[in-house]
Amino acid sequence: MKIAVIGADGQLGTDICAAVDNAGFELVRLTIEHIDVSKMESVSTVLKEINPQLVINTAAYHHVEQCEDNPVKAFEVNAKGARNLALVCNDVDAALMHISTDYVFDGKKRAPYVETDKPMPLNVYANTKLSGEHFVEAIAKKYYVLRVSGIYGKAPCIGKGGMNFVELMVKLSREREEVRVVDNEFLTPTSTAEIANQAVKMISSDAKYGLYHVTAEGSCSWYEFAREIFEITKPNVTLNKAAPGEFAVKVNRPEYSVLENKFLEDQGINVMRHWKEGLRTYLTGE
Ligand SMILES: NC(=O)c1ccc[n+]([C@@H]2O[C@H](COP(=O)([O-])OP(=O)(O)OC[C@H]3O[C@@H](n4cnc5c(N)ncnc54)[C@H](OP(=O)(O)O)[C@@H]3O)[C@@H](O)[C@H]2O)c1
C-alpha cells in the first residue's frame, strides 16, 4: 500500500512516517514544502501525481492563542484543508486518516468521553478542528478520524514553538528550584510513537472506517503528569501545585478532556498502553 503522510516533519508526522516505513508500507513524506492543505490546487496536483491508497493528515494550525487571533487562517487549514483532502481522496480512490483533537469537548462530562458523545468546542481552534471532522465525515467515502490528546514526541512540535510539556518540565527542573503546575485540568498524556503504532495497527487490521478516540490509557492532572516525569528523571527540584488562577489563560479550554478508546476496544484492536508506560519509554527508551 502506498501511504502519503502530510505534516511529515511535525511532532506526530515524524513518528507516523517511521511506523509506516517500519511496517513495510510504501511511504511518501509530504511537508509544507510539497503540499499546502489549505489550497485545493496544491492538494489536487500533488495527490493526483502520487496516487496513494491512504493519505494520513497530521497538518494543522493548532497554536490555540494564535488561532483565536487568526480565525480565518485556522479555518483555512483545519477545516477547509480537511475538506480539500476529502474531495481529492475520493477522486483518487484513497482512504483518508485525519488527525483531530480532544478539545472538541467542553469537559463538563467529567468522565471519559466516547466517540458518540456530543462535541461542544470552547475556542476557535477546537471549532475549526470539529469543522474539519464534519467535512471529512460528510465527504470522504473512506475515512478514519483519530482524536488524540496531550501529545508529546521526540520531534519538535512545530505549531507550538517546538517544546512539548515533558521537555519543558525537564528544562525547568534544571533551571529552577521550584516548579509549579496546575492541578485542576485533566488529560491523558499520549506519546506520538504510541499513536503511530496504533495507526499502523488500524491500517494493518482493516479497522472499520469512522471516528476513533486514540489516547493512552488512564488519566491525570498536569500536576500529576509533571510528578511522574520527575519520578523518572529524579531532578533536584520541588514540585508544587499552582494556585487557582495563578497562570493567566487568554483562551477557554476544557478542564477535563479524557477520552476512552471505545471503538478500538469494540474491535479488539486497542494497543494503547497506560500513559505512565508510554512516558517511561519516551524518557528512558525502556
Ligand atoms: N500538539 C498537541 O498537543 C495536540 C493535541 C491534540 C491534537 N493535536 C493534533 O495533532 C496533529 C499533529 O500535531 P503536531 O503536534 O504533530 O503538530 P506540528 O508538530 O505543529 O506539525 C504540524 C505540521 O503541519 C504542517 N502544516 C501546517 N500548516 C500546513 C498546511 N497548510 N499545509 C500543509 N502542512 C501544514 C506544519 O508545517 P510548518 O509548521 O512547517 O508550516 C507541521 O509540519 C494536529 O492535527 C493537531 O491538531 C495536537
Side-chain angles (χ1 to χ4, degrees):
M1 193 196 302
K2 192 194 270 189
I3 301 178
V5 177
I6 301 175
D9 57 351
Q11 182 176 219
L12 177 58
T14 299
D15 279 332
I16 289 193
C17 284
V20 163
D21 202 23
N22 286 341
F25 295 109
E26 188 182 348
L27 168 67
V28 183
R29 290 184 172 85
L30 297 173
T31 71
I32 189 78
E33 309 269 299
H34 311 103
I35 188 169
D36 181 344
V37 296
S38 67
K39 306 256 179 348
M40 183 47 141
E41 200 189 327
S42 166
V43 173
S44 179
T45 307
V46 172
L47 292 186
K48 282 179 182 166
E49 193 176 318
I50 296 167
N51 201 26
Q53 278 84 54
L54 174 69
V55 174
I56 304 181
N57 177 37
T58 72
Y61 182 51
H62 63 102
H63 189 290
V64 176
E65 285 80 13
Q66 286 178 17
C67 286
E68 212 66 17
D69 294 337
N70 300 289
V72 173
K73 180 174 177 189
F75 189 82
E76 292 281 314
V77 178
N78 298 335
K80 219 176 121 194
R83 175 180 176 273
N84 292 340
L85 290 167
L87 287 166
V88 176
C89 280
N90 284 352
D91 286 348
V92 298
D93 194 27
L96 174 60
M97 182 175 271
H98 176 72
I99 305 299
S100 192
T101 174
D102 55 330
Y103 271 26
V104 297
F105 295 112
D106 64 9
K108 299 221 168 92
K109 186 178 174 191
R110 293 275 158 180
Y113 285 95
V114 293
E115 291 85 346
T116 46
D117 284 323
K118 188 168 178 259
M120 191 62 73
L122 295 178
N123 56 48
V124 167
Y125 163 67
N127 265 292
T128 59
K129 290 294 286 187
L130 182 60
S131 300
E133 289 187 5
H134 287 163
F135 276 128
V136 172
E137 289 162 354
I139 296 168
K141 293 194 179 117
K142 299 183 279 188
Y143 72 85
Y144 308 97
V145 171
L146 274 55
R147 289 185 183 142
V148 303
S149 157
I151 68 175
Y152 58 91
K154 292 286 181 194
C157 177
I158 298 171
K160 289 186 178 159
M163 194 167 284
N164 67 46
F165 183 80
V166 182
E167 300 303 334
L168 178 65
M169 287 300 111
V170 170
K171 178 173 178 284
L172 292 181
S173 71
R174 289 185 183 133
E175 294 171 355
R176 298 184 182 179
E177 289 176 3
E178 184 197 19
V179 174
R180 299 173 68 80
V181 181
V182 293
D183 193 37
N184 60 350
E185 286 177 31
F186 298 87
L187 73 156
T188 302
T190 306
S191 145
T192 49
E194 308 260 322
I195 298 168
N197 186 34
Q198 179 70 65
V200 165
K201 173 76 179 171
M202 290 172 71
I203 301 160
S204 312
S205 52
D206 280 330
K208 289 180 190 161
Y209 293 124
L211 171 65
Y212 287 83
H213 288 178
V214 180
T215 66
E217 296 296 310
S219 63
C220 60
S221 70
W222 288 100
Y223 168 82
E224 291 163 336
F225 186 13
R227 193 176 59 197
E228 190 62 23
I229 294 165
F230 296 160
E231 270 297 312
I232 298 167
T233 57
K234 308 226 176 291
N236 191 14
V237 72
T238 305
L239 174 66
N240 282 316
K241 293 177 184 172
E246 184 173 327
F247 299 115
V249 276
K250 283 199 329 204
V251 183
N252 282 337
R253 291 171 162 80
E255 286 185 357
Y256 182 99
S257 63
V258 178
L259 307 181
E260 180 182 334
N261 302 341
K262 176 101 177 41
F263 284 0
L264 289 174
E265 284 158 18
D266 287 350
Q267 291 172 70
I269 52 169
N270 182 23
V271 293
M272 300 301 285
R273 300 185 299 162
H274 194 274
W275 68 268
K276 288 187 181 180
E277 292 179 72
L279 178 63
R280 180 165 289 281
T281 301
Y282 174 87
L283 283 168
T284 68
E286 288 164 20

